Amino acid sequence: MPKSPDSVLSCYDVNHDLLPDSVLRYAFRQLLGNNGYVHLVNVPESFDHVAFLKELGDFQPTPTGTVIGDLKPEADMDDIYHAQNRKPLVPHSEGYEFRGLPPRYMALWCVKPASGPGGETTMLDGQRVLREFTEDEQRHFLETPYTWKSTEGLARRGVHHTVEHPVLEDVDGERVFRFSYNNLVVPEGDDLATRLLKRGKAIYDESHVAVQYEERDMIVWNNWRMLHSRNAFEDPTRHLKRVQIAAPVSLASAA
Ligand SMILES: [Fe+2]
């Protein structure tokens, strides 16, 4: 059974009053720092998701160029691994196939929840996986370049990216963890990378949290720390919005 989210913030306080902006931002940053993600609930119609997210940093276009994008099932994509269908995904960090640093933060908010079962966004703190690896093994992941490729779904839309990055990268005192269960190319005989994927998937399956959306709910996570995925669903009208937020310019140019 997936766990319930343990980092949840309501837009209303105990007296059913809307939180003042400054209090909402303070509590949000605190939860994001402590847990690596926040599930924002009881979101009023007046809430401006885009304006709120802009305070975290600059938005970054996806491989298809969308800056503020839609996640809606595409009818011709159900036979392939792709974010925009109804199939389950496997654990990954976002942007492992980008040339530079992956997005610092990711945000999804709900326009229309899936009716019926499924459609939860799932998440796990990457630390849960990394702590199974010794310091020497982690050094290997800092120093060894691996090949990462973009998804089959994007390939069908004409996007092919292949890059080389280590799994771990230290950027200005912060550790970046790239992970993809299906798009990290494991070299023949690389037992360590094989173990990373196998244990990563197993720990994810055992310990992830699953976020169920109400209308306007938003989740924001630190994509350098958290892994995420999605459960399958039926409803063809499920609709989320997605934004990726770049690393601050000073960090991106240092990498
Ligand atoms: Fe993703």
Side-chain angles (χ1 to χ4, degrees), residues 126-146:
Q127 284 303 319
R128 301 281 293 264
V129 177
L130 290 178
R131 72 186 180 205
E132 288 214 349
F133 292 82
T134 64
E135 229 170 86
D136 277 354
E137 290 169 337
Q138 295 202 29
R139 193 167 318 116
H140 170 88
F141 286 131
L142 280 164
E143 292 170 353
T144 311
Y146 284 91

PDB file of all heavy atoms in Angstrom, residues 126-146:
ATOM      1  N   GLY A 126      14.980  10.588  -2.572  1.00  0.00           N
ATOM      2  CA  GLY A 126      16.108   9.852  -3.142  1.00  0.00           C
ATOM      3  C   GLY A 126      17.134   9.415  -2.103  1.00  0.00           C
ATOM      4  O   GLY A 126      17.879   8.456  -2.310  1.00  0.00           O
ATOM      5  N   GLN A 127      17.167  10.120  -0.971  1.00  0.00           N
ATOM      6  CA  GLN A 127      18.080   9.730   0.111  1.00  0.00           C
ATOM      7  C   GLN A 127      17.835   8.303   0.578  1.00  0.00           C
ATOM      8  O   GLN A 127      18.746   7.613   1.020  1.00  0.00           O
ATOM      9  CB  GLN A 127      17.908  10.679   1.314  1.00  0.00           C
ATOM     10  CG  GLN A 127      18.537  12.035   1.122  1.00  0.00           C
ATOM     11  CD  GLN A 127      20.027  11.922   0.817  1.00  0.00           C
ATOM     12  OE1 GLN A 127      20.732  11.115   1.417  1.00  0.00           O
ATOM     13  NE2 GLN A 127      20.488  12.702  -0.143  1.00  0.00           N
ATOM     14  N   ARG A 128      16.581   7.883   0.490  1.00  0.00           N
ATOM     15  CA  ARG A 128      16.241   6.514   0.907  1.00  0.00           C
ATOM     16  C   ARG A 128      16.983   5.495   0.067  1.00  0.00           C
ATOM     17  O   ARG A 128      17.299   4.403   0.523  1.00  0.00           O
ATOM     18  CB  ARG A 128      14.721   6.284   0.766  1.00  0.00           C
ATOM     19  CG  ARG A 128      13.857   7.221   1.579  1.00  0.00           C
ATOM     20  CD  ARG A 128      13.809   6.801   3.025  1.00  0.00           C
ATOM     21  NE  ARG A 128      13.126   5.533   3.197  1.00  0.00           N
ATOM     22  CZ  ARG A 128      11.841   5.399   3.518  1.00  0.00           C
ATOM     23  NH1 ARG A 128      11.110   6.460   3.697  1.00  0.00           N
ATOM     24  NH2 ARG A 128      11.308   4.202   3.674  1.00  0.00           N
ATOM     25  N   VAL A 129      17.226   5.823  -1.192  1.00  0.00           N
ATOM     26  CA  VAL A 129      17.950   4.921  -2.098  1.00  0.00           C
ATOM     27  C   VAL A 129      19.459   5.077  -1.879  1.00  0.00           C
ATOM     28  O   VAL A 129      20.185   4.093  -1.701  1.00  0.00           O
ATOM     29  CB  VAL A 129      17.586   5.227  -3.566  1.00  0.00           C
ATOM     30  CG1 VAL A 129      18.385   4.346  -4.512  1.00  0.00           C
ATOM     31  CG2 VAL A 129      16.082   5.062  -3.793  1.00  0.00           C
ATOM     32  N   LEU A 130      19.915   6.316  -1.842  1.00  0.00           N
ATOM     33  CA  LEU A 130      21.365   6.561  -1.798  1.00  0.00           C
ATOM     34  C   LEU A 130      22.009   6.034  -0.520  1.00  0.00           C
ATOM     35  O   LEU A 130      23.171   5.643  -0.526  1.00  0.00           O
ATOM     36  CB  LEU A 130      21.646   8.059  -1.951  1.00  0.00           C
ATOM     37  CG  LEU A 130      21.367   8.622  -3.347  1.00  0.00           C
ATOM     38  CD1 LEU A 130      21.629  10.126  -3.378  1.00  0.00           C
ATOM     39  CD2 LEU A 130      22.227   7.912  -4.405  1.00  0.00           C
ATOM     40  N   ARG A 131      21.253   6.018   0.567  1.00  0.00           N
ATOM     41  CA  ARG A 131      21.879   5.584   1.818  1.00  0.00           C
ATOM     42  C   ARG A 131      22.197   4.087   1.826  1.00  0.00           C
ATOM     43  O   ARG A 131      22.878   3.613   2.727  1.00  0.00           O
ATOM     44  CB  ARG A 131      21.043   6.007   3.020  1.00  0.00           C
ATOM     45  CG  ARG A 131      19.764   5.262   3.216  1.00  0.00           C
ATOM     46  CD  ARG A 131      18.977   5.900   4.359  1.00  0.00           C
ATOM     47  NE  ARG A 131      17.723   5.187   4.565  1.00  0.00           N
ATOM     48  CZ  ARG A 131      16.633   5.722   5.106  1.00  0.00           C
ATOM     49  NH1 ARG A 131      16.656   6.982   5.478  1.00  0.00           N
ATOM     50  NH2 ARG A 131      15.544   5.021   5.269  1.00  0.00           N
ATOM     51  N   GLU A 132      21.739   3.353   0.842  1.00  0.00           N
ATOM     52  CA  GLU A 132      22.127   1.942   0.714  1.00  0.00           C
ATOM     53  C   GLU A 132      23.499   1.795   0.064  1.00  0.00           C
ATOM     54  O   GLU A 132      24.009   0.690  -0.071  1.00  0.00           O
ATOM     55  CB  GLU A 132      21.116   1.190  -0.155  1.00  0.00           C
ATOM     56  CG  GLU A 132      19.814   0.968   0.530  1.00  0.00           C
ATOM     57  CD  GLU A 132      19.183  -0.351   0.134  1.00  0.00           C
ATOM     58  OE1 GLU A 132      19.658  -0.999  -0.819  1.00  0.00           O
ATOM     59  OE2 GLU A 132      18.206  -0.734   0.800  1.00  0.00           O
ATOM     60  N   PHE A 133      24.069   2.888  -0.398  1.00  0.00           N
ATOM     61  CA  PHE A 133      25.339   2.819  -1.113  1.00  0.00           C
ATOM     62  C   PHE A 133      26.448   3.457  -0.270  1.00  0.00           C
ATOM     63  O   PHE A 133      26.237   4.501   0.340  1.00  0.00           O
ATOM     64  CB  PHE A 133      25.206   3.509  -2.483  1.00  0.00           C
ATOM     65  CG  PHE A 133      24.306   2.737  -3.400  1.00  0.00           C
ATOM     66  CD1 PHE A 133      22.922   2.877  -3.317  1.00  0.00           C
ATOM     67  CD2 PHE A 133      24.825   1.824  -4.302  1.00  0.00           C
ATOM     68  CE1 PHE A 133      22.075   2.129  -4.125  1.00  0.00           C
ATOM     69  CE2 PHE A 133      23.987   1.072  -5.124  1.00  0.00           C
ATOM     70  CZ  PHE A 133      22.608   1.227  -5.031  1.00  0.00           C
ATOM     71  N   THR A 134      27.592   2.774  -0.230  1.00  0.00           N
ATOM     72  CA  THR A 134      28.708   3.244   0.599  1.00  0.00           C
ATOM     73  C   THR A 134      29.273   4.541   0.019  1.00  0.00           C
ATOM     74  O   THR A 134      28.966   4.913  -1.114  1.00  0.00           O
ATOM     75  CB  THR A 134      29.846   2.206   0.612  1.00  0.00           C
ATOM     76  OG1 THR A 134      30.358   2.092  -0.726  1.00  0.00           O
ATOM     77  CG2 THR A 134      29.360   0.837   1.094  1.00  0.00           C
ATOM     78  N   GLU A 135      30.135   5.163   0.794  1.00  0.00           N
ATOM     79  CA  GLU A 135      30.764   6.398   0.331  1.00  0.00           C
ATOM     80  C   GLU A 135      31.546   6.168  -0.961  1.00  0.00           C
ATOM     81  O   GLU A 135      31.506   6.989  -1.881  1.00  0.00           O
ATOM     82  CB  GLU A 135      31.710   6.914   1.421  1.00  0.00           C
ATOM     83  CG  GLU A 135      31.515   8.375   1.744  1.00  0.00           C
ATOM     84  CD  GLU A 135      32.297   8.761   2.967  1.00  0.00           C
ATOM     85  OE1 GLU A 135      33.482   9.099   2.810  1.00  0.00           O
ATOM     86  OE2 GLU A 135      31.727   8.700   4.081  1.00  0.00           O
ATOM     87  N   ASP A 136      32.262   5.031  -1.009  1.00  0.00           N
ATOM     88  CA  ASP A 136      33.033   4.700  -2.220  1.00  0.00           C
ATOM     89  C   ASP A 136      32.117   4.517  -3.424  1.00  0.00           C
ATOM     90  O   ASP A 136      32.431   4.947  -4.535  1.00  0.00           O
ATOM     91  CB  ASP A 136      33.828   3.397  -2.026  1.00  0.00           C
ATOM     92  CG  ASP A 136      35.128   3.667  -1.297  1.00  0.00           C
ATOM     93  OD1 ASP A 136      35.439   4.860  -1.065  1.00  0.00           O
ATOM     94  OD2 ASP A 136      35.819   2.686  -0.958  1.00  0.00           O
ATOM     95  N   GLU A 137      31.003   3.852  -3.193  1.00  0.00           N
ATOM     96  CA  GLU A 137      30.057   3.628  -4.296  1.00  0.00           C
ATOM     97  C   GLU A 137      29.449   4.953  -4.753  1.00  0.00           C
ATOM     98  O   GLU A 137      29.276   5.195  -5.949  1.00  0.00           O
ATOM     99  CB  GLU A 137      28.967   2.650  -3.855  1.00  0.00           C
ATOM    100  CG  GLU A 137      29.505   1.224  -3.684  1.00  0.00           C
ATOM    101  CD  GLU A 137      28.525   0.292  -2.988  1.00  0.00           C
ATOM    102  OE1 GLU A 137      27.616   0.761  -2.248  1.00  0.00           O
ATOM    103  OE2 GLU A 137      28.675  -0.919  -3.181  1.00  0.00           O
ATOM    104  N   GLN A 138      29.167   5.818  -3.796  1.00  0.00           N
ATOM    105  CA  GLN A 138      28.618   7.128  -4.173  1.00  0.00           C
ATOM    106  C   GLN A 138      29.659   7.948  -4.934  1.00  0.00           C
ATOM    107  O   GLN A 138      29.319   8.683  -5.858  1.00  0.00           O
ATOM    108  CB  GLN A 138      28.127   7.880  -2.939  1.00  0.00           C
ATOM    109  CG  GLN A 138      26.953   7.157  -2.297  1.00  0.00           C
ATOM    110  CD  GLN A 138      26.086   8.039  -1.417  1.00  0.00           C
ATOM    111  OE1 GLN A 138      25.976   9.232  -1.638  1.00  0.00           O
ATOM    112  NE2 GLN A 138      25.459   7.436  -0.428  1.00  0.00           N
ATOM    113  N   ARG A 139      30.947   7.772  -4.559  1.00  0.00           N
ATOM    114  CA  ARG A 139      31.999   8.473  -5.291  1.00  0.00           C
ATOM    115  C   ARG A 139      32.036   8.005  -6.740  1.00  0.00           C
ATOM    116  O   ARG A 139      32.210   8.784  -7.669  1.00  0.00           O
ATOM    117  CB  ARG A 139      33.360   8.283  -4.621  1.00  0.00           C
ATOM    118  CG  ARG A 139      34.401   9.260  -5.165  1.00  0.00           C
ATOM    119  CD  ARG A 139      35.679   9.331  -4.337  1.00  0.00           C
ATOM    120  NE  ARG A 139      35.445   9.343  -2.919  1.00  0.00           N
ATOM    121  CZ  ARG A 139      35.844   8.373  -2.076  1.00  0.00           C
ATOM    122  NH1 ARG A 139      36.502   7.334  -2.535  1.00  0.00           N
ATOM    123  NH2 ARG A 139      35.589   8.454  -0.792  1.00  0.00           N
ATOM    124  N   HIS A 140      31.846   6.692  -6.937  1.00  0.00           N
ATOM    125  CA  HIS A 140      31.778   6.162  -8.295  1.00  0.00           C
ATOM    126  C   HIS A 140      30.659   6.870  -9.077  1.00  0.00           C
ATOM    127  O   HIS A 140      30.850   7.261 -10.240  1.00  0.00           O
ATOM    128  CB  HIS A 140      31.524   4.650  -8.254  1.00  0.00           C
ATOM    129  CG  HIS A 140      31.201   4.055  -9.592  1.00  0.00           C
ATOM    130  ND1 HIS A 140      32.163   3.592 -10.461  1.00  0.00           N
ATOM    131  CD2 HIS A 140      30.007   3.882 -10.229  1.00  0.00           C
ATOM    132  CE1 HIS A 140      31.592   3.164 -11.575  1.00  0.00           C
ATOM    133  NE2 HIS A 140      30.280   3.313 -11.461  1.00  0.00           N
ATOM    134  N   PHE A 141      29.509   7.053  -8.422  1.00  0.00           N
ATOM    135  CA  PHE A 141      28.382   7.709  -9.119  1.00  0.00           C
ATOM    136  C   PHE A 141      28.631   9.202  -9.352  1.00  0.00           C
ATOM    137  O   PHE A 141      28.017   9.796 -10.228  1.00  0.00           O
ATOM    138  CB  PHE A 141      27.086   7.497  -8.342  1.00  0.00           C
ATOM    139  CG  PHE A 141      26.540   6.099  -8.467  1.00  0.00           C
ATOM    140  CD1 PHE A 141      26.143   5.380  -7.332  1.00  0.00           C
ATOM    141  CD2 PHE A 141      26.412   5.482  -9.706  1.00  0.00           C
ATOM    142  CE1 PHE A 141      25.639   4.085  -7.449  1.00  0.00           C
ATOM    143  CE2 PHE A 141      25.906   4.188  -9.825  1.00  0.00           C
ATOM    144  CZ  PHE A 141      25.528   3.488  -8.698  1.00  0.00           C
ATOM    145  N   LEU A 142      29.521   9.796  -8.564  1.00  0.00           N
ATOM    146  CA  LEU A 142      29.891  11.199  -8.802  1.00  0.00           C
ATOM    147  C   LEU A 142      30.867  11.331  -9.966  1.00  0.00           C
ATOM    148  O   LEU A 142      30.882  12.336 -10.667  1.00  0.00           O
ATOM    149  CB  LEU A 142      30.558  11.788  -7.552  1.00  0.00           C
ATOM    150  CG  LEU A 142      29.667  12.259  -6.406  1.00  0.00           C
ATOM    151  CD1 LEU A 142      30.490  12.445  -5.136  1.00  0.00           C
ATOM    152  CD2 LEU A 142      28.979  13.577  -6.764  1.00  0.00           C
ATOM    153  N   GLU A 143      31.699  10.299 -10.139  1.00  0.00           N
ATOM    154  CA  GLU A 143      32.825  10.428 -11.078  1.00  0.00           C
ATOM    155  C   GLU A 143      32.613   9.758 -12.426  1.00  0.00           C
ATOM    156  O   GLU A 143      33.359  10.004 -13.371  1.00  0.00           O
ATOM    157  CB  GLU A 143      34.091   9.839 -10.420  1.00  0.00           C
ATOM    158  CG  GLU A 143      34.570  10.681  -9.248  1.00  0.00           C
ATOM    159  CD  GLU A 143      35.666  10.002  -8.426  1.00  0.00           C
ATOM    160  OE1 GLU A 143      35.966   8.812  -8.692  1.00  0.00           O
ATOM    161  OE2 GLU A 143      36.189  10.675  -7.519  1.00  0.00           O
ATOM    162  N   THR A 144      31.606   8.865 -12.528  1.00  0.00           N
ATOM    163  CA  THR A 144      31.461   8.061 -13.741  1.00  0.00           C
ATOM    164  C   THR A 144      30.339   8.583 -14.632  1.00  0.00           C
ATOM    165  O   THR A 144      29.182   8.619 -14.203  1.00  0.00           O
ATOM    166  CB  THR A 144      31.139   6.596 -13.360  1.00  0.00           C
ATOM    167  OG1 THR A 144      32.075   6.184 -12.363  1.00  0.00           O
ATOM    168  CG2 THR A 144      31.215   5.678 -14.566  1.00  0.00           C
ATOM    169  N   PRO A 145      30.666   8.993 -15.866  1.00  0.00           N
ATOM    170  CA  PRO A 145      29.584   9.413 -16.759  1.00  0.00           C
ATOM    171  C   PRO A 145      28.772   8.215 -17.264  1.00  0.00           C
ATOM    172  O   PRO A 145      29.344   7.166 -17.576  1.00  0.00           O
ATOM    173  CB  PRO A 145      30.308  10.102 -17.923  1.00  0.00           C
ATOM    174  CG  PRO A 145      31.762   9.925 -17.684  1.00  0.00           C
ATOM    175  CD  PRO A 145      31.987   9.090 -16.480  1.00  0.00           C
ATOM    176  N   TYR A 146      27.474   8.385 -17.302  1.00  0.00           N
ATOM    177  CA  TYR A 146      26.560   7.383 -17.876  1.00  0.00           C
ATOM    178  C   TYR A 146      25.771   8.024 -19.017  1.00  0.00           C
ATOM    179  O   TYR A 146      25.631   9.249 -19.070  1.00  0.00           O
ATOM    180  CB  TYR A 146      25.572   6.881 -16.810  1.00  0.00           C
ATOM    181  CG  TYR A 146      26.179   5.905 -15.831  1.00  0.00           C
ATOM    182  CD1 TYR A 146      26.748   6.352 -14.642  1.00  0.00           C
ATOM    183  CD2 TYR A 146      26.200   4.542 -16.105  1.00  0.00           C
ATOM    184  CE1 TYR A 146      27.318   5.452 -13.741  1.00  0.00           C
ATOM    185  CE2 TYR A 146      26.766   3.649 -15.211  1.00  0.00           C
ATOM    186  CZ  TYR A 146      27.322   4.109 -14.036  1.00  0.00           C
ATOM    187  OH  TYR A 146      27.895   3.225 -13.163  1.00  0.00           O
TER     188      TYR A 146
END
